[in-house]
Each structure stands twice: as C-alpha cells, then as structure tokens.
C-alpha cells in the first residue's frame, strides 16, 4: 500500500522498523552501512565543501549550513553532519527509527532536529535547505522520480542534493542480494528488490527533471580481499552516489 500524495511505501518502511533497535550495532543488520559510512561521509563533505567554498579539512566545514537527511534511520549520517557544524534535520517515516536516533543523539550530546515525517510534509512546511541527503532510500520509495523532485524543491537555489542508491545490474544482484542477504546474511532476505534498483542514467534524468542537474557521480566499490571500500569515478556497477545543484 502507498499513501496518497506521499512517497512512502508502507511495506518498505515496515522492513526497517523491524530492525530499528540495531541501527548502532556495527555487527548487526546495518553492518553494510557502518562499513560504507566513512566513504559516504568523505564524498558528502567533499561535494558540499566544493559548492560552498569550504575547507573540507577543517574541523567544522559545514558550519551554519541547513542540512536535511531524508530517510535518516538511526542517525548514522545525521550525527557526523552535526559534528561538522551543520544544523541538521533528520527525517524518517519509521517512528521507531526516530526514537533510536533521538536517544543516541542525546547520549552523544548532539542537538539534531529529528522528525517522524515525510519529505512531502516537510515541503508543506517550507524548505530552503542548503543540503538535502537521500541516502539508500530512493530504491525504497513508491515513486522515485516524484521523491527526487520533492527533495529538490526542499532546497534553496544553489543548494546541494546528494543521493546514493544501487544500480540495476547483474553485479548488483550478486553483491546486494546474493552476497549481502543470502550468503553473508548482513541483511534479512527480502530487504532489497532488485527490480527497484535504479540505473545512474535513470537517476540523473530524475535530477535533471527536478531542476537539480548532476555535477558529479561516483561508485562505491567493495574490495573483498582488503575488506574495504573505495570511491571510483568509473565503476558504478553496484553502489553509487550522485550530486546535483538546484537551479
């Protein structure tokens, strides 16, 4: 079921509600995100710093920027963004995720505006964010193109939209479903539906249609020998990130 005028897919939300208590367990069901997080943060900070002429090596390169983390889950990205100086709003449709995120932020001494809400509801309240993050969520929403359009409308002109998702390729089926769900059992079976994965050109077209042309894209490549992740400007076969700037 989907909610009218909403990007929310209730069945997809329910999957992550069921795992909410494990968000901050690096060996739990969100182990893949914990492994990816340093790479995601590196990319995000680099892209934001480039657009807003900030020194990405400084202690608080995001000082004063209004940042919205849509589909924030337990706050794995929201918290580092706040530590780097951003005024962070974290939004998630699963109330259980927000409860976990609020508790962890309080224990960490961080002030983050967490809300159990949707992108559409936030847009109805206004917008004007400097940065909107949509990480590992596009493949789980009911209408990806409309969701990206809503994210873009939440930005002020010149604002940065960064999304990450999974490509629809044989390699992604092998890695994200067979590997992560069936063999390694990092995630419960059925967490991902390969048919909902999005090719980079498809996502770029959504960005363009939303008025946020793409300025950068990069793959996140896993090395099983070194058990490590790296960014690649060419290999977007499985996980990838994309940045657009709102016109």
């Amino acid at each position: 079921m989907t909610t009218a005028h909403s990007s929310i897919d209730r069945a997809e939300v329910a999957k992550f509600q069921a795992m909410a208590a494990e968000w901050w367990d690096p060996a739990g069901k969100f182990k893949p995100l914990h492994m990816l997080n340093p790479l995601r943060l590196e990319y995000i900070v680099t892209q934001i710093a480039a657009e807003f002429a900030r020194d990405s090596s400084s202690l608080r390169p995001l000082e004063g920027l209004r940042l919205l983390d849509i589909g924030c889950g337990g706050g794995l990205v929201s918290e580092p963004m706040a530590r780097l100086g951003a005024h962070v709003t974290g939004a998630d449709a699963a109330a259980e995720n927000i409860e976990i995120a609020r508790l962890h932020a309080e224990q960490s001494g961080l002030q983050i505006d967490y809300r159990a809400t949707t992108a559409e509801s936030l847009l109805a309240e206004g917008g004007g964010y400097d940065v909107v993050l949509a990480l590992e969520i596009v493949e789980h929403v009911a209408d990806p193109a409309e969701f990206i359009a809503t994210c873009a409308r939440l930005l002020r002109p010149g604002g940065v939209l960064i999304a990450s998702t999974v490509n629809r390729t044989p390699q992604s089926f092998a890695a994200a479903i067979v590997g992560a769900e069936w063999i390694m059992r990092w995630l419960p079976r059925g967490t991902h539906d390969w048919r909902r994965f999005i090719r980079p050109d498809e996502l770029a077209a959504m960005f363009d249609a939303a008025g946020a042309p793409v300025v950068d894209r990069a793959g996140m490549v896993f090395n099983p020998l070194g058990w490590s992740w790296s960014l690649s400007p060419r290999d977007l076969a499985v996980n990838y990130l994309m940045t657009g700037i709102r016109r």
Side-chain angles (χ1 to χ4, degrees):
M1 292 178 61
T2 59
T3 303
H5 309 299
S6 172
S7 61
I8 299 304
D9 184 318
R10 295 296 175 190
E12 293 296 296
V13 171
K15 293 177 185 178
F16 292 92
Q17 285 183 155
M19 299 186 286
E22 298 195 47
W23 272 106
W24 288 96
D25 180 1
K29 291 185 173 66
F30 294 102
K31 180 177 181 177
L33 291 184
H34 282 272
M35 293 171 64
L36 267 178
N37 224 29
L39 197 68
R40 294 194 302 181
L41 297 174
E42 175 189 342
Y43 179 87
I44 290 166
V45 173
T46 298
Q47 294 300 315
I48 295 173
E51 180 59 24
F52 293 103
R54 303 295 181 90
D55 179 1
S56 61
S57 65
S58 67
L59 291 177
R60 293 173 65 86
L62 310 186
E63 191 73 55
L65 295 177
R66 294 186 67 219
L67 183 146
L68 172 62
D69 184 8
I70 289 285
C72 64
L76 298 187
V77 171
S78 292
E79 288 200 8
M81 295 295 102
R83 289 192 179 94
L84 293 173
H87 299 295
V88 178
T89 298
D92 201 287
E96 289 87 347
N97 289 344
I98 292 299
E99 290 174 11
I100 295 294
R102 283 175 177 159
L103 177 60
H104 197 274
E106 181 179 341
Q107 293 171 340
S108 302
L110 295 171
Q111 292 188 338
I112 298 173
D113 181 13
Y114 281 121
R115 305 187 196 182
T117 188
T118 65
E120 293 80 10
S121 295
L122 288 169
L123 182 59
E125 297 174 12
Y129 290 95
D130 299 298
V131 181
V132 171
L133 305 179
L135 308 177
E136 277 69 56
I137 183 177
V138 184
E139 69 271 25
H140 297 290
V141 301
D143 186 336
E146 182 57 33
F147 172 73
I148 290 295
T150 300
C151 289
R153 288 195 289 268
L154 281 160
L155 287 165
R156 66 169 180 79
V160 177
L161 172 60
I162 300 177
S164 61
T165 188
V166 189
N167 200 345
R168 193 171 67 255
T169 60
Q171 297 97 312
S172 70
F173 185 86
I177 295 178
V178 176
E181 295 185 18
W182 299 0
I183 298 175
M184 302 304 294
R185 297 184 181 178
W186 286 336
L187 295 167
R189 283 199 179 203
T191 298
H192 291 107
D193 182 344
W194 181 83
R195 295 166 298 180
R196 300 180 74 152
F197 290 174
I198 301 169
R199 295 190 177 107
D201 287 346
E202 295 170 345
L203 186 59
M206 296 177 197
F207 272 55
D208 289 343
V214 173
V215 296
D216 190 80
R217 59 178 81 183
M220 294 182 284
V221 182
F222 181 62
N223 178 0
L225 296 179
W227 208 249
S228 60
W229 290 85
S230 62
L231 290 170
S232 170
R234 294 176 297 277
D235 187 354
L236 280 69
V238 184
N239 300 87
Y240 67 95
L241 296 130
M242 188 169 289
T243 300
I245 307 298
R246 167 103 188 256
R247 288 194 294 260

